[in-house]
Amino acid sequence: MRALEFKSTGYSAFFSSNFYELTNDFFSNIKKSYSSFVVLLDENTSKHCLSPLLIEIDFLKNALFIEIESGEQNKNINTCIKIWEQLSHVKADRKTLLINLGGGVICDLGGFVASTYKRGIDFVNFPTTLLSQVDASIGGKVGIDLHSHKNMIGLFSNPKAVFVYPAFNTTLPERQLRSGFAEVIKHALIADDALWKLIKKYSLAANTVSPYIEKSIRIKNQVVKQDFEENNLRKILNFGHTVGHAIESLSLQKDKNSLLHGEAIRIGMLCETYLSHKIAGLPKKQFNEIIQYFIADLPVYKIKRADFATLLDFMRNDKKNQDTTINFSLLTEIGKCKINCTSSSELINESFEFYRKLHG
Ligand SMILES: NC(=O)c1ccc[n+]([C@@H]2O[C@H](COP(=O)([O-])OP(=O)(O)OC[C@H]3O[C@@H](n4cnc5c(N)ncnc54)[C@H](O)[C@@H]3O)[C@@H](O)[C@H]2O)c1
Ligand SMILES: [Zn+2]
Protein backbone atom coordinates (compact mmCIF):
# COMPACT_ATOMS: atom_id res chain seq x y z
CA MET A 1 0.00 0.00 0.00
CA ARG A 2 1.21 3.49 -0.84
CA ALA A 3 0.89 6.37 1.57
CA LEU A 4 -2.37 8.29 1.32
CA GLU A 5 -1.82 11.72 -0.17
CA PHE A 6 -3.91 14.75 0.72
CA LYS A 7 -3.17 17.54 -1.73
CA SER A 8 -3.32 20.96 -0.18
CA THR A 9 -2.39 24.52 -1.12
CA GLY A 10 1.00 23.92 -2.75
CA TYR A 11 2.02 20.89 -0.70
CA SER A 12 0.78 17.45 0.28
CA ALA A 13 0.14 15.76 3.57
CA PHE A 14 1.05 12.06 3.45
CA PHE A 15 -0.42 9.48 5.77
CA SER A 16 0.79 5.94 6.31
CA SER A 17 1.33 3.41 9.03
CA ASN A 18 4.58 2.43 7.34
CA PHE A 19 7.35 4.94 7.89
CA TYR A 20 9.40 3.85 4.90
CA GLU A 21 6.43 4.20 2.57
CA LEU A 22 5.66 7.58 4.05
CA THR A 23 8.95 9.26 3.41
CA ASN A 24 10.94 7.36 0.86
CA ASP A 25 9.91 8.92 -2.45
CA PHE A 26 9.98 12.43 -1.12
CA PHE A 27 13.39 12.24 0.52
CA SER A 28 15.08 10.39 -2.30
CA ASN A 29 13.80 13.06 -4.70
CA ILE A 30 14.70 16.14 -2.70
CA LYS A 31 18.07 15.05 -1.35
CA LYS A 32 20.01 16.95 -3.99
CA SER A 33 17.93 20.12 -3.78
CA TYR A 34 19.20 21.12 -0.35
CA SER A 35 22.60 22.15 0.94
CA SER A 36 21.96 20.94 4.48
CA PHE A 37 19.32 19.43 6.74
CA VAL A 38 18.41 20.56 10.24
CA VAL A 39 16.11 18.55 12.51
CA LEU A 40 14.24 20.50 15.18
CA LEU A 41 13.02 18.40 18.09
CA ASP A 42 12.46 18.42 21.83
CA GLU A 43 13.71 16.04 24.53
CA ASN A 44 10.64 13.80 24.19
CA THR A 45 10.62 13.51 20.43
CA SER A 46 14.37 12.98 20.53
CA LYS A 47 13.79 10.01 22.81
CA HIS A 48 10.66 8.52 21.20
CA CYS A 49 10.51 9.59 17.57
CA LEU A 50 13.95 10.12 16.14
CA SER A 51 14.98 6.52 15.50
CA PRO A 52 12.57 5.68 12.61
CA LEU A 53 13.62 8.88 10.91
CA LEU A 54 17.32 8.01 11.14
CA ILE A 55 16.80 4.36 10.19
CA GLU A 56 14.75 5.12 7.09
CA ILE A 57 16.35 8.35 5.95
CA ASP A 58 19.96 7.43 6.25
CA PHE A 59 21.52 10.71 5.13
CA LEU A 60 19.86 12.55 8.02
CA LYS A 61 22.46 11.02 10.32
CA ASN A 62 24.65 13.90 9.17
CA ALA A 63 21.99 16.52 9.84
CA LEU A 64 22.28 19.19 12.48
CA PHE A 65 19.97 18.47 15.43
CA ILE A 66 18.56 21.37 17.38
CA GLU A 67 16.85 20.29 20.56
CA ILE A 68 14.64 22.67 22.48
CA GLU A 69 12.91 22.22 25.79
CA SER A 70 9.37 20.91 25.38
CA GLY A 71 6.24 22.81 26.39
CA GLU A 72 3.98 25.67 25.38
CA GLN A 73 5.90 28.04 27.69
CA ASN A 74 8.80 27.75 25.24
CA LYS A 75 6.78 28.67 22.16
CA ASN A 76 8.12 32.20 22.26
CA ILE A 77 10.57 34.60 20.67
CA ASN A 78 13.43 33.64 23.03
CA THR A 79 13.40 30.08 21.74
CA CYS A 80 13.28 31.39 18.17
CA ILE A 81 16.35 33.53 18.81
CA LYS A 82 18.26 30.51 20.10
CA ILE A 83 17.36 28.52 16.99
CA TRP A 84 18.14 31.37 14.58
CA GLU A 85 21.50 31.76 16.32
CA GLN A 86 22.30 28.09 15.92
CA LEU A 87 21.29 28.14 12.27
CA SER A 88 23.43 31.17 11.70
CA HIS A 89 26.31 29.65 13.65
CA VAL A 90 26.43 26.61 11.35
CA LYS A 91 26.00 28.90 8.34
CA ALA A 92 22.66 27.44 7.32
CA ASP A 93 21.83 29.04 3.99
CA ARG A 94 18.62 29.50 2.05
CA LYS A 95 18.93 25.97 0.72
CA THR A 96 18.73 24.43 4.17
CA LEU A 97 15.69 22.27 4.91
CA LEU A 98 14.28 22.41 8.42
CA ILE A 99 12.62 19.18 9.55
CA ASN A 100 10.15 19.68 12.40
CA LEU A 101 9.89 16.50 14.44
CA GLY A 102 7.43 17.11 17.22
CA GLY A 103 4.02 18.20 18.36
CA GLY A 104 2.18 21.43 17.69
CA VAL A 105 4.76 23.50 19.52
CA ILE A 106 7.62 22.26 17.31
CA CYS A 107 5.52 22.54 14.12
CA ASP A 108 4.25 26.06 14.92
CA LEU A 109 7.55 27.37 16.19
CA GLY A 110 9.74 25.55 13.67
CA GLY A 111 7.55 26.73 10.81
CA PHE A 112 7.83 30.29 12.08
CA VAL A 113 11.60 30.10 12.52
CA ALA A 114 12.02 28.64 9.03
CA SER A 115 9.69 31.15 7.38
CA THR A 116 11.59 34.11 8.79
CA TYR A 117 15.20 32.91 8.73
CA LYS A 118 16.94 34.62 5.79
CA ARG A 119 13.48 35.59 4.51
CA GLY A 120 12.38 32.00 4.54
CA ILE A 121 13.80 28.52 4.15
CA ASP A 122 11.84 25.36 3.36
CA PHE A 123 10.50 23.14 6.12
CA VAL A 124 8.64 19.85 6.45
CA ASN A 125 6.58 18.57 9.35
CA PHE A 126 6.67 15.22 11.08
CA PRO A 127 3.86 15.72 13.60
CA THR A 128 4.34 13.37 16.54
CA THR A 129 1.26 14.10 18.66
CA LEU A 130 -2.34 13.37 17.85
CA LEU A 131 -3.09 17.07 18.05
CA SER A 132 -0.42 18.04 15.57
CA GLN A 133 -1.32 15.17 13.21
CA VAL A 134 -4.94 16.17 12.92
CA ASP A 135 -4.52 19.90 13.18
CA ALA A 136 -1.38 21.91 13.91
CA SER A 137 0.89 20.47 11.22
CA ILE A 138 -1.54 21.05 8.36
CA GLY A 139 -3.07 24.28 7.16
CA GLY A 140 -0.02 26.53 7.01
CA LYS A 141 -0.45 28.56 10.19
CA VAL A 142 2.87 29.04 11.95
CA GLY A 143 3.68 31.21 14.91
CA ILE A 144 4.51 31.79 18.54
CA ASP A 145 2.87 33.18 21.67
CA LEU A 146 3.41 36.69 22.98
CA HIS A 147 3.58 36.37 26.77
CA SER A 148 0.32 34.62 27.59
CA HIS A 149 -1.39 35.65 24.37
CA LYS A 150 -1.64 32.55 22.22
CA ASN A 151 -0.30 32.55 18.66
CA MET A 152 -0.13 36.34 18.59
CA ILE A 153 2.90 36.52 16.28
CA GLY A 154 2.90 34.46 13.13
CA LEU A 155 2.14 34.06 9.47
CA PHE A 156 0.63 31.80 6.88
CA SER A 157 3.42 29.69 5.50
CA ASN A 158 3.17 26.22 4.03
CA PRO A 159 5.54 23.34 4.66
CA LYS A 160 6.96 21.50 1.65
CA ALA A 161 5.24 18.36 2.93
CA VAL A 162 3.70 16.82 6.03
CA PHE A 163 4.30 13.19 7.01
CA VAL A 164 1.72 11.69 9.34
CA TYR A 165 2.78 8.48 11.05
CA PRO A 166 0.08 7.40 13.52
CA ALA A 167 2.40 5.03 15.44
CA PHE A 168 4.09 8.03 17.05
CA ASN A 169 1.00 8.31 19.24
CA THR A 170 1.78 5.07 21.06
CA THR A 171 4.41 6.74 23.24
CA LEU A 172 2.26 9.77 23.91
CA PRO A 173 1.06 10.26 27.50
CA GLU A 174 -2.67 9.55 27.88
CA ARG A 175 -3.36 13.18 28.78
CA GLN A 176 -1.78 14.38 25.52
CA LEU A 177 -3.73 11.84 23.49
CA ARG A 178 -6.99 13.06 24.98
CA SER A 179 -6.00 16.64 24.36
CA GLY A 180 -5.41 15.91 20.69
CA PHE A 181 -8.69 14.10 20.32
CA ALA A 182 -10.49 17.35 21.16
CA GLU A 183 -9.63 18.60 17.66
CA VAL A 184 -11.04 15.40 16.12
CA ILE A 185 -14.27 16.02 18.03
CA LYS A 186 -14.26 19.59 16.76
CA HIS A 187 -13.86 18.48 13.15
CA ALA A 188 -16.82 16.13 13.54
CA LEU A 189 -19.06 18.71 15.19
CA ILE A 190 -18.42 21.37 12.57
CA ALA A 191 -18.39 19.24 9.43
CA ASP A 192 -19.14 15.55 9.75
CA ASP A 193 -22.21 14.19 11.47
CA ALA A 194 -21.23 10.60 10.57
CA LEU A 195 -17.85 11.01 12.27
CA TRP A 196 -19.61 12.37 15.38
CA LYS A 197 -21.74 9.20 15.52
CA LEU A 198 -18.57 7.08 15.45
CA ILE A 199 -16.90 9.23 18.09
CA LYS A 200 -19.81 8.79 20.50
CA LYS A 201 -19.20 5.04 20.51
CA TYR A 202 -15.43 5.16 20.41
CA SER A 203 -13.09 4.56 23.33
CA LEU A 204 -9.88 6.42 22.60
CA ALA A 205 -6.64 4.43 22.31
CA ALA A 206 -3.41 5.18 20.48
CA ASN A 207 -3.41 1.93 18.53
CA THR A 208 -6.95 2.36 17.14
CA VAL A 209 -7.04 6.08 16.46
CA SER A 210 -5.67 5.94 12.91
CA PRO A 211 -9.04 6.11 11.03
CA TYR A 212 -9.98 9.17 13.09
CA ILE A 213 -6.72 10.85 12.14
CA GLU A 214 -7.33 10.19 8.48
CA LYS A 215 -10.92 11.51 8.59
CA SER A 216 -9.81 14.56 10.51
CA ILE A 217 -7.02 15.45 8.09
CA ARG A 218 -9.49 15.09 5.24
CA ILE A 219 -11.89 17.56 6.85
CA LYS A 220 -9.25 20.12 7.78
CA ASN A 221 -7.61 19.88 4.38
CA GLN A 222 -10.92 20.36 2.54
CA VAL A 223 -11.64 23.49 4.52
CA VAL A 224 -8.17 25.01 4.26
CA LYS A 225 -7.95 24.38 0.52
CA GLN A 226 -11.06 26.48 -0.04
CA ASP A 227 -10.04 29.41 2.15
CA PHE A 228 -6.35 29.38 3.02
CA GLU A 229 -6.17 32.85 4.54
CA GLU A 230 -9.26 32.45 6.67
CA ASN A 231 -11.47 35.05 5.08
CA ASN A 232 -14.62 32.96 5.37
CA LEU A 233 -15.06 29.21 5.51
CA ARG A 234 -11.84 28.45 7.42
CA LYS A 235 -13.27 30.30 10.39
CA ILE A 236 -15.41 27.23 11.12
CA LEU A 237 -12.24 25.62 12.47
CA ASN A 238 -12.39 28.18 15.28
CA PHE A 239 -15.40 26.54 16.89
CA GLY A 240 -14.58 26.21 20.60
CA HIS A 241 -11.47 28.31 20.20
CA THR A 242 -12.80 31.77 21.05
CA VAL A 243 -13.56 30.70 24.60
CA GLY A 244 -10.95 27.93 24.51
CA HIS A 245 -8.01 30.21 23.72
CA ALA A 246 -9.06 32.60 26.50
CA ILE A 247 -9.16 29.70 28.96
CA GLU A 248 -5.82 28.44 27.72
CA SER A 249 -4.33 31.93 28.13
CA LEU A 250 -5.79 32.28 31.63
CA SER A 251 -4.38 28.94 32.61
CA LEU A 252 -0.96 29.73 31.12
CA GLN A 253 -0.94 32.95 33.10
CA LYS A 254 -1.93 31.59 36.48
CA ASP A 255 -1.46 27.82 36.74
CA LYS A 256 1.75 26.01 37.46
CA ASN A 257 0.56 22.92 35.64
CA SER A 258 -1.38 24.69 32.92
CA LEU A 259 -4.11 23.24 30.75
CA LEU A 260 -3.16 21.61 27.48
CA HIS A 261 -4.50 23.13 24.29
CA GLY A 262 -7.07 20.40 23.69
CA GLU A 263 -8.20 20.48 27.32
CA ALA A 264 -8.92 24.18 27.05
CA ILE A 265 -10.66 23.62 23.71
CA ARG A 266 -12.96 21.00 25.26
CA ILE A 267 -14.11 23.62 27.78
CA GLY A 268 -14.34 26.14 24.94
CA MET A 269 -16.51 23.78 22.88
CA LEU A 270 -18.75 23.19 25.86
CA CYS A 271 -19.32 26.94 26.43
CA GLU A 272 -19.72 27.55 22.69
CA THR A 273 -22.21 24.69 22.40
CA TYR A 274 -24.22 26.62 24.97
CA LEU A 275 -23.95 29.76 22.82
CA SER A 276 -24.77 27.73 19.70
CA HIS A 277 -28.05 26.68 21.25
CA LYS A 278 -28.87 30.18 22.48
CA ILE A 279 -28.03 32.16 19.35
CA ALA A 280 -27.22 29.93 16.36
CA GLY A 281 -30.22 27.60 16.35
CA LEU A 282 -28.56 24.39 17.58
CA PRO A 283 -31.61 22.24 18.45
CA LYS A 284 -32.15 21.39 22.11
CA LYS A 285 -31.86 17.64 21.48
CA GLN A 286 -28.46 17.98 19.79
CA PHE A 287 -27.34 20.47 22.44
CA ASN A 288 -28.14 17.87 25.12
CA GLU A 289 -26.41 15.14 23.14
CA ILE A 290 -23.17 17.13 22.89
CA ILE A 291 -23.25 18.26 26.51
CA GLN A 292 -23.85 14.68 27.71
CA TYR A 293 -20.83 13.54 25.74
CA PHE A 294 -18.61 16.22 27.27
CA ILE A 295 -19.95 15.77 30.80
CA ALA A 296 -19.01 12.09 30.76
CA ASP A 297 -15.42 13.21 30.41
CA LEU A 298 -15.39 16.68 31.92
CA PRO A 299 -12.07 18.47 32.41
CA VAL A 300 -11.51 18.91 36.15
CA TYR A 301 -10.55 22.52 35.58
CA LYS A 302 -12.57 24.96 37.64
CA ILE A 303 -13.28 28.51 36.58
CA LYS A 304 -14.12 31.05 39.25
CA ARG A 305 -16.63 33.86 38.78
CA ALA A 306 -13.74 36.23 39.49
CA ASP A 307 -12.05 34.96 36.29
CA PHE A 308 -14.93 35.83 33.97
CA ALA A 309 -13.77 39.41 33.35
CA THR A 310 -10.20 38.27 32.56
CA LEU A 311 -11.55 35.71 30.13
CA LEU A 312 -13.62 38.37 28.37
CA ASP A 313 -10.53 40.61 28.16
CA PHE A 314 -8.54 37.82 26.53
CA MET A 315 -11.38 37.25 24.10
CA ARG A 316 -11.60 40.94 23.15
CA ASN A 317 -7.88 40.90 22.35
CA ASP A 318 -8.20 37.79 20.16
CA LYS A 319 -6.76 38.21 16.66
CA LYS A 320 -9.94 36.72 15.17
CA ASN A 321 -11.85 39.92 16.02
CA GLN A 322 -12.37 42.84 13.64
CA ASP A 323 -12.53 45.40 16.46
CA THR A 324 -13.49 44.65 20.02
CA THR A 325 -16.54 42.63 18.94
CA ILE A 326 -15.91 39.03 19.88
CA ASN A 327 -16.22 36.70 16.91
CA PHE A 328 -17.56 33.15 17.25
CA SER A 329 -18.08 30.21 14.93
CA LEU A 330 -21.09 28.34 16.25
CA LEU A 331 -22.99 25.17 15.47
CA THR A 332 -26.36 25.44 13.77
CA GLU A 333 -26.67 21.67 13.94
CA ILE A 334 -24.24 18.79 14.43
CA GLY A 335 -21.99 18.78 11.37
CA LYS A 336 -22.73 22.40 10.38
CA CYS A 337 -21.11 25.57 11.59
CA LYS A 338 -21.92 29.24 11.09
CA ILE A 339 -19.16 31.86 11.06
CA ASN A 340 -19.15 35.49 12.25
CA CYS A 341 -21.57 35.09 15.12
CA THR A 342 -21.59 37.66 17.88
CA SER A 343 -22.87 37.44 21.40
CA SER A 344 -23.55 39.84 24.24
CA SER A 345 -21.11 39.77 27.16
CA GLU A 346 -24.01 38.68 29.38
CA LEU A 347 -24.58 35.57 27.33
CA ILE A 348 -20.87 34.78 27.21
CA ASN A 349 -20.76 35.07 31.00
CA GLU A 350 -23.81 32.79 31.12
CA SER A 351 -21.89 30.19 29.12
CA PHE A 352 -18.99 30.37 31.62
CA GLU A 353 -21.52 30.01 34.42
CA PHE A 354 -23.05 27.02 32.65
CA TYR A 355 -19.63 25.34 32.65
CA ARG A 356 -18.88 26.41 36.23
CA LYS A 357 -22.10 24.85 37.50
CA LEU A 358 -21.38 21.52 35.83
CA HIS A 359 -18.73 21.05 38.50
CA GLY A 360 -21.47 21.35 41.12
N1 LIG B 1 -0.96 25.91 13.60
C1 LIG B 1 -2.14 25.43 13.83
O1 LIG B 1 -3.01 25.43 12.95
C2 LIG B 1 -2.45 24.85 15.18
C3 LIG B 1 -3.64 24.13 15.36
C4 LIG B 1 -3.86 23.55 16.61
C5 LIG B 1 -2.93 23.71 17.63
N2 LIG B 1 -1.81 24.43 17.41
C6 LIG B 1 -0.80 24.58 18.47
O2 LIG B 1 -0.27 23.31 18.81
C7 LIG B 1 0.25 23.36 20.13
C8 LIG B 1 -0.16 22.13 20.90
O3 LIG B 1 0.35 21.00 20.24
P1 LIG B 1 0.65 19.63 21.02
O4 LIG B 1 -0.52 19.29 21.84
O5 LIG B 1 1.16 18.69 20.02
O6 LIG B 1 1.77 20.08 22.08
P2 LIG B 1 3.35 19.83 22.21
O7 LIG B 1 4.07 20.07 20.97
O8 LIG B 1 3.73 20.63 23.41
O9 LIG B 1 3.46 18.27 22.56
C9 LIG B 1 2.93 17.78 23.74
C10 LIG B 1 3.96 17.02 24.58
O10 LIG B 1 4.16 15.73 24.01
C11 LIG B 1 5.55 15.50 23.83
N3 LIG B 1 5.64 14.60 22.68
C12 LIG B 1 5.52 14.93 21.38
N4 LIG B 1 5.47 13.81 20.64
C13 LIG B 1 5.60 12.77 21.47
C14 LIG B 1 5.59 11.36 21.29
N5 LIG B 1 5.40 10.81 20.09
N6 LIG B 1 5.75 10.58 22.39
C15 LIG B 1 5.88 11.13 23.62
N7 LIG B 1 5.86 12.45 23.85
C16 LIG B 1 5.71 13.26 22.79
C17 LIG B 1 6.13 16.86 23.63
O11 LIG B 1 7.50 16.88 23.93
C18 LIG B 1 5.32 17.67 24.65
O12 LIG B 1 5.83 17.48 25.93
C19 LIG B 1 -0.27 24.64 20.74
O13 LIG B 1 0.77 25.56 20.80
C20 LIG B 1 -1.34 25.10 19.76
O14 LIG B 1 -1.50 26.50 19.76
C21 LIG B 1 -1.55 24.99 16.20
ZN1 LIG C 1 -6.97 24.00 18.34
Side-chain angles (χ1 to χ4, degrees):
M1 192 194 115
R2 307 251 322 149
L4 273 179
E5 179 175 358
F6 299 90
K7 286 196 170 40
S8 193
T9 42
Y11 74 98
S12 287
F14 300 95
F15 172 93
S16 173
S17 53
N18 180 322
F19 200 85
Y20 174 81
E21 214 172 62
L22 191 68
T23 56
N24 203 265
D25 284 355
F26 181 88
F27 279 91
S28 32
N29 289 338
I30 58 123
K31 197 174 161 183
K32 291 204 183 74
S33 321
Y34 292 98
S35 58
S36 62
F37 298 87
V38 177
V39 181
L40 181 67
L41 67 184
D42 65 31
E43 73 281 6
N44 297 316
T45 60
S46 172
K47 182 171 167 200
H48 299 294
C49 311
L50 187 55
S51 43
L53 195 75
L54 296 185
I55 291 168
E56 298 299 352
I57 313 168
D58 190 58
F59 65 88
L60 287 183
K61 290 197 174 91
N62 302 320
L64 169 73
F65 295 88
I66 301 182
E67 187 175 312
I68 62 167
E69 207 182 308
S70 66
E72 183 73 30
Q73 68 282 9
N74 298 306
K75 195 176 125 179
N76 59 33
I77 196 72
N78 298 325
T79 311
C80 294
I81 292 171
K82 285 184 199 149
I83 302 169
W84 286 319
E85 281 172 353
Q86 289 191 60
L87 289 172
S88 164
H89 182 71
V90 296
K91 304 202 165 37
D93 61 20
R94 295 186 69 185
K95 282 282 156 204
T96 295
L97 179 72
L98 184 73
I99 298 165
N100 294 322
L101 180 68
V105 168
I106 292 277
C107 293
D108 276 13
L109 184 129
F112 179 73
V113 163
S115 310
T116 43
Y117 179 75
K118 298 199 171 171
R119 296 212 174 84
I121 59 171
D122 288 349
F123 66 101
V124 296
N125 289 333
F126 282 89
T128 62
T129 61
L130 180 57
L131 190 135
S132 55
Q133 294 183 348
V134 299
D135 198 352
S137 68
I138 43 177
K141 282 187 183 177
V142 297
I144 52 172
D145 302 336
L146 179 66
H147 308 300
S148 27
H149 291 282
K150 287 278 307 166
N151 303 330
M152 195 64 130
I153 312 296
L155 62 151
F156 289 100
S157 178
N158 276 320
K160 281 285 145 192
V162 179
F163 303 96
V164 179
Y165 180 55
F168 280 143
N169 290 307
T170 54
T171 56
L172 208 58
E174 170 73 24
R175 190 178 163 200
Q176 295 288 351
L177 194 72
R178 267 179 44 78
S179 166
F181 201 67
E183 303 285 7
V184 179
I185 298 169
K186 178 194 77 179
H187 288 145
L189 287 175
I190 60 171
D192 191 342
D193 182 26
L195 179 58
W196 169 249
K197 290 196 174 84
L198 291 177
I199 286 175
K200 280 194 298 175
K201 291 184 284 184
Y202 176 59
S203 173
L204 177 62
N207 56 359
T208 55
V209 76
S210 228
Y212 294 86
I213 300 176
E214 189 198 315
K215 285 182 181 25
S216 234
I217 296 175
R218 205 177 289 281
I219 293 168
K220 176 147 188 193
N221 197 38
Q222 278 294 332
V223 172
V224 171
K225 266 202 305 203
Q226 293 174 65
D227 176 26
F228 181 56
E229 289 192 354
E230 199 170 310
N231 295 312
N232 294 297
L233 178 72
R234 187 170 179 166
K235 291 185 189 174
I236 66 172
L237 298 170
N238 295 332
F239 170 64
H241 281 62
T242 304
V243 174
H245 271 158
I247 289 176
E248 191 177 7
S249 298
L250 178 78
S251 175
L252 274 174
Q253 195 178 65
K254 74 178 188 106
D255 302 325
K256 212 159 160 233
N257 180 14
S258 47
L259 281 175
L260 301 179
H261 179 73
E263 292 171 333
I265 295 314
R266 266 175 197 261
I267 304 174
M269 286 195 283
L270 218 149
C271 294
E272 293 185 25
T273 296
Y274 182 88
L275 295 177
S276 298
H277 175 53
K278 292 286 175 183
I279 54 181
L282 178 71
K284 180 90 180 162
K285 193 166 164 282
Q286 295 191 1
F287 163 77
N288 285 333
E289 186 181 320
I290 300 170
I291 299 300
Q292 285 316 314
Y293 176 83
F294 281 120
I295 287 180
D297 213 357
L298 197 66
V300 279
Y301 194 72
K302 295 199 177 184
I303 303 173
K304 298 193 193 79
R305 282 202 178 119
D307 294 328
F308 289 8
T310 317
L311 288 173
L312 274 172
D313 271 354
F314 274 123
M315 287 160 74
R316 288 197 187 96
N317 200 19
D318 194 306
K319 61 189 174 321
K320 296 191 281 292
N321 302 332
Q322 289 284 333
D323 40 52
T324 51
T325 317
I326 300 168
N327 191 296
F328 291 93
S329 302
L330 298 176
L331 305 175
T332 53
E333 58 185 276
I334 292 173
K336 296 219 164 65
C337 187
K338 183 176 170 210
I339 62 169
N340 297 333
C341 302
T342 51
S343 162
S344 66
S345 308
E346 289 72 29
L347 204 57
I348 300 171
N349 277 328
E350 243 180 61
S351 78
F352 299 154
E353 185 63 15
F354 175 72
Y355 172 75
R356 205 186 66 81
K357 282 202 178 134
L358 290 178
H359 282 290

